[in-house]
Amino acid sequence: MNNKEFIAELSQRLGYTQDDSQRLVRTAIDAMGSYFQEGSAVTLPNFGTFEVKKRLERVMINPTTQQRMLVPPKLVLSFKPVAAIKEKLKNGGKDNG
């Protein structure tokens, strides 16, 4: 599903116009981005938690040249889904009941 399909589905389910739905999604993503820049986690109920984590500095070896390179530390965004979503995916997308 791409952005256009997502906005169309969202607007249909909510009864809003596609422009209003697009504005809603952009506003939510911008707000989440602000929290990520502060280093805060964002939890969406019944979905999961987005969290900024720090990756430590590490040594990497280029497989072609066997040369060692130092990879600097960086911040990465991680996502941890709620247990219900994990279980549903584990069962091939089907509910348990």
Side-chain angles (χ1 to χ4, degrees):
M1 173 180 278
N2 62 28
N3 185 53
K4 191 174 183 177
E5 294 167 342
F6 176 72
I7 295 300
E9 178 75 19
L10 186 64
S11 65
Q12 182 182 2
R13 287 187 184 197
L14 295 176
Y16 295 142
T17 65
Q18 288 194 14
D19 286 341
D20 288 342
S21 298
Q22 180 71 40
R23 210 171 304 118
L24 175 76
V25 170
R26 278 195 186 135
T27 303
I29 290 173
D30 288 345
M32 289 171 66
S34 297
Y35 280 105
F36 297 147
Q37 286 180 341
E38 294 170 5
S40 301
V42 175
T43 300
L44 301 175
N46 300 319
F47 187 64
T49 302
F50 293 91
E51 186 176 20
V52 177
K53 293 185 177 181
K54 185 173 183 175
R55 258 209 191 143
L56 299 176
E57 183 176 71
R58 66 187 200 279
V59 175
M60 183 186 90
I61 300 175
N62 183 327
T64 307
T65 64
Q66 297 300 313
Q67 182 181 7
R68 297 175 139 231
M69 295 183 289
L70 190 61
V71 179
K74 64 180 178 179
L75 298 176
V76 294
L77 186 61
S78 68
F79 174 70
K80 183 177 180 185
V82 294
I85 291 178
K86 280 186 189 179
E87 191 63 33
K88 189 173 182 179
L89 290 173
K90 203 183 292 185
N91 294 329
K94 299 176 186 144
D95 285 328
N96 265 350

